[in-house]
């Protein structure tokens, strides 16, 4: 029950945050992020890091790599929309968005790389225990 509740809360927060970010990125508020975060790229990174974290909690059955890719595509799409809307767009913003989206995935990837070694140690440990029990 708790995981369902957490998922629902995360989805609600995600919907609100998504709306706020869409208005901030595509609305006539260019430069407002400098009031919150002095460096534009750090603002992009933080926005996509937090949004990706919420996506991980809101959609626990989805692959985290796919969610990070989705957020990276949203970052590219938002910059294209800004360009088409007459606002500034920059490759650095896209890069910061992608870094924010994948920064959360890096620990997951490292844990996956470590997991086979853990499983092998457990297998060897279980084998040693069974040998002792048989003797």
């Amino acid at each position: 029950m708790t995981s369902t509740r957490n998922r629902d809360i995360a989805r609600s927060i995600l919907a609100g945050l998504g709306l706020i970010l869409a208005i901030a990125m595509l609305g006539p508020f260019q430069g407002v992020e400098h009031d919150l975060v002095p460096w534009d790229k750090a603002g992009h990174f933080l926005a996509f890091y937090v949004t990706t974290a919420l996506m991980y909690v809101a959609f626990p059955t989805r692959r985290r790599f796919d969610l990070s890719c989705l957020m990276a595509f949203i970052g590219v799409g938002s910059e294209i929309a800004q360009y088409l809307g007459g606002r500034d767009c920059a490759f650095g913003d896209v890069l910061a968005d992608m870094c924010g989206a994948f920064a959360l995935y890096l620990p997951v990837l490292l844990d996956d790389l470590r997991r086979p070694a853990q499983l092998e140690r457990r297998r060897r440990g279980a084998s040693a225990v069974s040998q002792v029990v048989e003797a």
Side-chain angles (χ1 to χ4, degrees):
M1 166 140 165
T2 304
S3 65
T4 303
R5 183 171 172 247
N6 290 345
R7 184 193 69 215
D8 293 341
I9 291 170
R11 286 182 180 179
S12 298
I13 294 170
L14 184 63
L17 181 62
L19 182 63
I20 290 168
L21 289 175
I23 291 169
M25 288 189 287
L26 303 175
F29 307 108
Q30 187 166 351
V32 172
E33 68 272 3
H34 293 289
D35 296 335
L36 300 172
V37 180
W39 188 41
D40 177 50
K41 306 312 179 236
H44 281 267
F45 178 88
L46 287 173
F48 277 79
Y49 184 86
V50 169
T51 307
T52 304
L54 284 170
M55 294 273 284
Y56 282 12
V57 175
F59 303 102
T61 59
R62 303 286 183 190
R63 292 184 344 169
R64 287 184 165 88
F65 180 75
D66 294 344
L67 294 173
S68 292
C69 286
L70 175 64
M71 288 306 299
F73 285 128
I74 289 171
V76 171
S78 69
E79 288 301 315
I80 290 171
Q82 286 178 11
Y83 174 74
L84 295 174
R87 291 185 52 181
D88 290 340
C89 79
F91 179 73
D93 290 347
V94 171
L95 190 60
D97 296 343
M98 288 182 174
C99 287
F102 282 101
L104 201 59
Y105 181 70
L106 184 62
V108 173
L109 179 64
L110 292 175
D111 189 49
D112 286 346
L113 292 174
R114 188 179 67 121
R115 188 165 290 134
Q118 287 177 336
L119 293 174
E120 178 62 25
R121 279 195 302 271
R122 286 184 190 153
R123 187 189 63 73
R124 278 188 268 141
S127 175
V129 169
S130 66
Q131 287 175 0
V132 169
V133 171
E134 291 174 3

